[in-house]
Amino acid sequence: MTTKVVTQFPIPYEEIEAFCRKWNIIRFELFGSVLRDDFGANRSDVDVLVTFAPGATPGLQYFSAEEELARILGRSVEMTTRRTVEQSDNWIRREAILSEAQTVYEA
């Protein structure tokens, strides 16, 4: 199920949902400048948190998923897993990302 969120960049929700199903992503979240006024139309990337279904982490194909998502969005993407952020030793970064992340898709 997709949820529309207020962003500084148009999000193709149907394509995001199809992408998530293809890659067994059960949660897709946006964070960072795409949610704020400091998003630069020509310079900012799109920051994404994903959660894969149990046992479905793609290994090295992860980078193919990130490239595919960049093609869908038409700009560069920084994709990371929610688990990586939750386990980060940098508590300031961890809290900043998790407090502002907004769910776009959840299975």
Side-chain angles (χ1 to χ4, degrees):
M1 174 172 85
T2 57
T3 303
K4 294 191 187 300
V5 298
V6 177
T7 63
Q8 301 299 315
F9 178 78
I11 303 299
Y13 292 96
E14 290 180 12
E15 291 179 62
I16 295 298
E17 187 170 343
F19 169 82
C20 290
R21 288 185 175 153
K22 173 183 177 181
W23 289 98
N24 295 309
I25 294 169
I26 58 173
R27 190 172 183 186
F28 180 100
E29 301 167 272
L30 296 174
F31 70 96
S33 64
V34 73
L35 302 174
R36 301 186 309 256
D37 290 337
D38 62 331
F39 183 80
N42 296 323
R43 62 177 164 70
S44 294
D45 60 11
V46 177
D47 297 307
V48 177
L49 283 180
V50 295
T51 303
F52 292 97
T57 304
L60 290 177
Q61 289 182 332
Y62 177 90
F63 299 105
S64 296
E66 187 176 57
E67 290 172 7
E68 181 179 334
L69 184 57
R71 284 192 299 276
I72 290 169
L73 296 176
R75 64 187 322 113
S76 62
V77 170
E78 290 290 328
M79 188 171 82
T80 190
T81 65
R82 176 172 258 278
R83 182 177 178 179
T84 297
V85 172
E86 289 173 340
Q87 293 178 347
S88 173
D89 290 335
N90 184 336
W91 68 270
I92 295 172
R93 178 178 181 270
R94 180 180 64 238
E95 293 304 314
I97 291 172
L98 296 178
S99 68
E100 75 176 1
Q102 292 192 27
T103 303
V104 172
Y105 172 83
E106 194 160 14

